[in-house]
Protein backbone atom coordinates (compact mmCIF):
# COMPACT_ATOMS: atom_id res chain seq x y z
CA UNK A 1 0.00 0.00 0.00
CA UNK A 2 2.86 2.32 0.80
CA UNK A 3 4.38 1.77 -2.61
CA UNK A 4 1.05 2.59 -4.31
CA UNK A 5 0.88 5.87 -2.41
CA UNK A 6 4.51 6.65 -3.26
CA UNK A 7 3.83 5.82 -6.92
CA UNK A 8 0.79 8.13 -6.96
CA UNK A 9 2.81 10.91 -5.29
CA UNK A 10 5.66 10.48 -7.75
CA UNK A 11 3.18 10.54 -10.67
CA UNK A 12 1.55 13.69 -9.26
CA UNK A 13 4.94 15.38 -8.85
CA UNK A 14 5.94 14.34 -12.38
CA UNK A 15 2.67 15.72 -13.77
CA UNK A 16 3.22 18.99 -11.90
CA UNK A 17 6.78 19.28 -13.25
CA UNK A 18 5.65 18.57 -16.83
CA UNK A 19 2.77 21.03 -16.50
CA UNK A 20 5.17 23.65 -15.06
CA UNK A 21 7.63 23.15 -17.90
CA UNK A 22 4.87 23.50 -20.46
CA UNK A 23 3.67 26.70 -18.80
CA UNK A 24 7.17 28.20 -18.71
CA UNK A 25 7.79 27.26 -22.33
CA UNK A 26 4.52 28.94 -23.37
CA UNK A 27 5.32 32.06 -21.36
CA UNK A 28 8.76 32.22 -22.91
CA UNK A 29 7.18 32.13 -26.35
CA UNK A 30 5.08 35.18 -25.40
CA UNK A 31 8.07 37.03 -23.95
CA UNK A 32 10.16 36.38 -27.02
CA UNK A 33 7.58 37.71 -29.50
CA UNK A 34 8.74 40.64 -31.68
CA UNK A 35 6.66 43.30 -33.38
CA UNK A 36 7.94 46.03 -35.73
CA UNK A 37 7.51 49.58 -34.37
CA UNK A 38 8.21 51.60 -37.54
CA UNK A 39 9.92 54.23 -35.42
CA UNK A 40 11.02 57.44 -37.10
CA UNK A 41 14.32 59.22 -36.71
CA UNK A 42 14.98 62.13 -34.42
CA UNK A 43 17.23 64.94 -35.60
CA UNK A 44 18.56 67.72 -33.42
CA UNK A 45 18.27 71.27 -34.73
CA UNK A 46 21.19 73.66 -34.52
CA UNK A 47 19.50 77.08 -34.34
CA UNK A 48 22.22 79.12 -36.02
CA UNK A 49 21.54 82.55 -37.43
CA UNK A 50 22.99 84.46 -40.35
CA UNK A 51 23.84 88.05 -39.55
CA UNK A 52 24.29 90.03 -42.77
CA UNK A 53 25.02 86.75 -44.54
CA UNK A 54 27.58 85.47 -42.00
CA UNK A 55 26.70 82.39 -39.89
CA UNK A 56 26.60 83.19 -36.19
CA UNK A 57 25.82 81.20 -33.07
CA UNK A 58 23.13 82.21 -30.59
CA UNK A 59 24.49 84.14 -27.61
CA UNK A 60 27.39 85.52 -29.64
CA UNK A 61 28.41 89.18 -29.75
CA UNK A 62 28.26 90.48 -33.30
CA UNK A 63 29.95 93.65 -34.52
CA UNK A 64 27.66 96.27 -35.96
CA UNK A 65 28.75 98.16 -39.06
CA UNK A 66 31.00 101.10 -38.19
CA UNK A 67 29.45 104.51 -38.68
CA UNK A 68 30.88 107.99 -39.05
CA UNK A 69 29.34 110.65 -36.85
CA UNK A 70 30.22 114.29 -36.38
CA UNK A 71 28.72 117.43 -34.91
CA UNK A 72 26.89 117.96 -38.23
CA UNK A 73 25.75 114.32 -38.60
CA UNK A 74 24.77 113.34 -35.08
CA UNK A 75 22.84 110.14 -35.81
CA UNK A 76 22.55 107.36 -38.36
CA UNK A 77 20.41 104.26 -38.82
CA UNK A 78 21.90 101.02 -40.14
CA UNK A 79 19.76 98.07 -41.25
CA UNK A 80 21.06 94.53 -40.64
CA UNK A 81 19.51 91.38 -42.10
CA UNK A 82 19.11 88.42 -39.75
CA UNK A 83 17.74 84.98 -40.69
CA UNK A 84 17.46 81.74 -38.76
CA UNK A 85 19.18 78.76 -40.38
CA UNK A 86 17.87 75.94 -38.21
CA UNK A 87 18.09 72.61 -39.99
CA UNK A 88 14.42 71.71 -39.54
CA UNK A 89 11.91 70.90 -42.23
CA UNK A 90 9.46 73.60 -43.41
CA UNK A 91 6.57 71.70 -41.80
CA UNK A 92 8.27 71.65 -38.38
CA UNK A 93 5.98 72.83 -35.56
CA UNK A 94 8.81 74.83 -34.00
CA UNK A 95 9.26 78.54 -34.46
CA UNK A 96 12.11 80.77 -33.38
CA UNK A 97 12.32 84.25 -31.92
CA UNK A 98 15.46 86.23 -32.71
CA UNK A 99 16.46 88.88 -30.18
CA UNK A 100 19.13 91.55 -30.59
CA UNK A 101 20.39 93.33 -27.49
CA UNK A 102 22.70 96.33 -27.87
CA UNK A 103 25.83 96.10 -25.75
CA UNK A 104 26.52 99.14 -23.54
CA UNK A 105 28.48 101.96 -25.17
CA UNK A 106 30.46 104.80 -23.66
CA UNK A 107 29.37 108.41 -23.71
CA UNK A 108 28.87 110.41 -25.93
CA UNK A 109 27.17 107.56 -27.86
CA UNK A 110 23.65 106.20 -27.61
CA UNK A 111 22.78 103.02 -29.54
CA UNK A 112 19.34 101.46 -29.88
CA UNK A 113 17.72 98.67 -31.88
CA UNK A 114 14.26 98.23 -33.42
CA UNK A 115 12.58 95.94 -35.91
CA UNK A 116 11.25 97.29 -39.18
CA UNK A 117 7.68 98.47 -39.54
CA UNK A 118 6.34 97.41 -42.95
CA UNK A 119 9.93 96.91 -44.11
CA UNK A 120 11.08 100.42 -43.09
CA UNK A 121 13.30 101.44 -40.18
CA UNK A 122 11.47 103.72 -37.72
CA UNK A 123 12.22 107.43 -38.02
CA UNK A 124 11.46 108.31 -34.38
CA UNK A 125 14.36 108.03 -31.94
CA UNK A 126 11.96 106.78 -29.25
CA UNK A 127 11.31 103.57 -31.24
CA UNK A 128 14.88 102.39 -30.58
CA UNK A 129 15.41 100.48 -27.33
CA UNK A 130 18.22 98.43 -25.78
CA UNK A 131 16.73 95.24 -27.22
CA UNK A 132 14.27 94.14 -29.89
CA UNK A 133 12.81 90.77 -30.87
CA UNK A 134 11.09 89.32 -33.89
CA UNK A 135 7.70 87.69 -33.77
CA UNK A 136 7.78 83.85 -33.70
CA UNK A 137 8.78 82.76 -37.20
CA UNK A 138 9.70 79.72 -39.25
CA UNK A 139 13.34 78.92 -39.92
CA UNK A 140 15.10 80.76 -42.76
CA UNK A 141 12.73 83.75 -42.67
CA UNK A 142 14.79 86.92 -43.00
CA UNK A 143 14.14 89.79 -40.61
CA UNK A 144 15.64 93.26 -40.61
CA UNK A 145 16.89 94.91 -37.43
CA UNK A 146 17.58 98.64 -37.44
CA UNK A 147 20.37 100.07 -35.29
CA UNK A 148 20.38 103.76 -34.47
CA UNK A 149 23.70 105.21 -33.39
CA UNK A 150 23.53 108.80 -32.14
CA UNK A 151 25.56 111.36 -30.27
CA UNK A 152 24.35 112.99 -27.10
CA UNK A 153 23.28 116.62 -27.70
CA UNK A 154 26.18 119.06 -27.41
CA UNK A 155 28.87 116.59 -28.51
CA UNK A 156 31.76 118.20 -30.38
CA UNK A 157 34.14 116.59 -32.88
CA UNK A 158 36.92 116.81 -30.27
CA UNK A 159 34.85 114.67 -27.87
CA UNK A 160 34.50 111.91 -30.45
CA UNK A 161 38.16 110.98 -30.61
CA UNK A 162 37.79 109.59 -34.15
CA UNK A 163 35.28 109.54 -36.97
CA UNK A 164 34.58 105.77 -37.18
CA UNK A 165 32.63 104.31 -34.29
CA UNK A 166 31.95 100.59 -34.05
CA UNK A 167 29.51 99.03 -31.61
CA UNK A 168 28.28 95.49 -31.00
CA UNK A 169 25.13 93.64 -30.06
CA UNK A 170 24.34 90.23 -28.61
CA UNK A 171 22.36 87.89 -30.80
CA UNK A 172 20.03 85.33 -29.21
CA UNK A 173 17.58 82.77 -30.58
CA UNK A 174 14.75 81.17 -28.60
CA UNK A 175 12.85 78.12 -29.81
CA UNK A 176 9.10 78.07 -29.22
CA UNK A 177 6.39 75.62 -30.25
CA UNK A 178 3.62 76.80 -32.50
CA UNK A 179 -0.05 76.34 -31.67
Amino acid sequence: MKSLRALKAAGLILAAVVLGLMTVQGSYALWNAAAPSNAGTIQAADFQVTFDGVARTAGQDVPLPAVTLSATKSSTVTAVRVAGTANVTPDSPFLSITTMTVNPVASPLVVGVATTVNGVCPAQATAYKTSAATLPQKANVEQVFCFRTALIAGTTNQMLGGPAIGTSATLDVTQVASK
Side-chain angles (χ1 to χ4, degrees):
M1 191 91 160
K2 271 187 162 183
S3 64
L4 186 59
R5 274 187 169 171
L7 191 57
K8 282 183 181 179
L12 187 58
I13 290 172
L14 181 62
V17 169
V18 169
L19 184 62
L21 287 174
M22 290 173 64
T23 304
V24 169
Q25 185 64 28
S27 297
Y28 177 73
L30 290 175
W31 292 334
N32 202 25
S37 67
N38 295 329
T41 58
I42 297 175
Q43 180 180 358
D46 68 351
F47 297 95
Q48 286 194 346
V49 174
T50 59
F51 181 84
D52 264 355
V54 178
R56 302 288 182 169
T57 307
Q60 183 177 20
D61 284 348
V62 292
L64 299 177
V67 297
T68 302
L69 297 176
S70 66
T72 57
K73 183 182 177 187
S74 62
S75 70
T76 186
V77 174
T78 306
V80 176
R81 298 185 182 290
V82 178
T85 61
N87 60 342
V88 294
T89 60
D91 58 337
S92 170
F94 295 106
L95 304 175
S96 63
I97 299 171
T98 304
T99 306
M100 295 293 295
T101 304
V102 176
N103 293 330
V105 293
S107 183
L109 286 179
V110 177
V111 179
V113 62
T115 55
T116 58
V117 179
N118 298 324
V120 178
C121 291
Q124 306 84 1
T126 56
Y128 294 88
K129 308 293 182 194
T130 57
S131 116
T134 64
L135 296 173
Q137 62 192 1
K138 292 279 189 183
N140 299 317
V141 173
E142 189 174 80
Q143 296 289 322
V144 177
F145 285 91
C146 303
F147 292 92
R148 181 178 184 273
T149 306
L151 297 174
I152 296 172
T155 303
T156 64
N157 286 338
Q158 292 77 20
M159 293 172 67
L160 291 175
I165 300 167
T167 58
S168 66
T170 302
L171 178 66
D172 198 16
V173 179
T174 306
Q175 177 185 346
V176 294
S178 64
K179 295 180 183 178

